[in-house]
Amino acid sequence: NAFLNDTLGWVADQFFSHCLFETRDGGATWTSYTFGEAIDRMVVIDSVSMLAVGATIYKYSFDSITTSIVVPEKEKMASMQLSPNPADAAVRLDLEINNPTLVHLLLLNSNYQVINSLNPEILQPGKYQRQIITENLSSGNYYISMISHIEHSTIKFTVVH
């Protein structure tokens, strides 16, 4: 959450949403804007500009939002891959971590609702594998969302029985 002044401010959902909610009347009403990636933090720089940080850095200045100021590669997760896709009984998630971070994995349905949440864990740099059981899921599209203090990534897969 951040307010640039007493009337102009924003609220964002750091985990699932690609939405930013803006108020121009001190919070009496809110307008939803869809863009980019999820936002983790917002920082007011001065009376006319603000940074929003998540998987990408956004800079707000007056009435415009500049997007895709890329986070340096050393700050990003190296990879997140799923196989097989489509899946039947299980999928294997391969993670490669570049920096120590707390990682939280979520299994989401096609409406981005959380079906299952794997316990958050602190991972050191390296390669990791996790198995996600899919045999009890209905056929259809699903997502695995990886949330860390560095990045939020989501990967889509299909279950076919």
Side-chain angles (χ1 to χ4, degrees):
N1 306 345
F3 273 81
L4 198 55
N5 54 46
D6 62 342
T7 58
L8 181 59
W10 303 270
V11 174
D13 183 341
Q14 76 180 52
F15 296 111
F16 309 113
S17 180
H18 295 284
C19 276
L20 178 72
F21 296 93
E22 178 184 71
T23 182
R24 291 180 174 256
D25 56 13
T29 61
W30 294 87
T31 304
S32 171
Y33 296 97
T34 303
F35 72 96
E37 295 290 331
I39 295 172
D40 183 40
R41 291 179 186 89
M42 293 182 220
V43 178
V44 174
I45 298 171
D46 55 35
S47 65
V48 294
S49 56
M50 177 200 61
L51 290 178
V53 181
T56 304
I57 299 172
Y58 302 94
K59 182 179 181 186
Y60 176 91
S61 190
F62 296 105
D63 284 331
S64 68
I65 297 176
T66 304
T67 61
S68 299
I69 300 171
V70 179
V71 177
E73 272 307 308
K74 66 180 179 141
E75 295 295 323
K76 295 186 103 180
M77 295 276 181
S79 70
M80 181 171 80
Q81 298 177 349
L82 266 175
S83 62
N85 190 8
D88 182 21
V91 292
R92 186 185 78 226
L93 177 65
D94 293 311
L95 299 172
E96 186 174 345
I97 308 297
N98 283 335
N99 296 299
T101 187
L102 177 68
V103 173
H104 192 180
L105 297 172
L106 302 170
L107 176 61
L108 311 171
N109 65 17
S110 60
N111 295 320
Y112 297 99
Q113 297 168 321
V114 177
I115 296 172
N116 194 4
S117 174
L118 283 66
N119 289 331
E121 57 185 319
I122 296 174
L123 298 179
Q124 298 301 316
K127 295 180 181 183
Y128 299 88
Q129 288 184 351
R130 300 293 180 264
Q131 185 176 32
I132 293 127
I133 305 301
T134 59
E135 63 189 7
N136 295 328
L137 299 176
S138 300
S139 293
N141 293 321
Y142 295 87
Y143 301 90
I144 294 184
S145 186
M146 175 187 60
I147 302 163
S148 78
H149 76 282
I150 297 171
E151 184 176 12
H152 174 200
S153 298
T154 302
I155 192 166
K156 180 179 178 181
F157 70 100
T158 302
V159 172
V160 178
H161 296 295

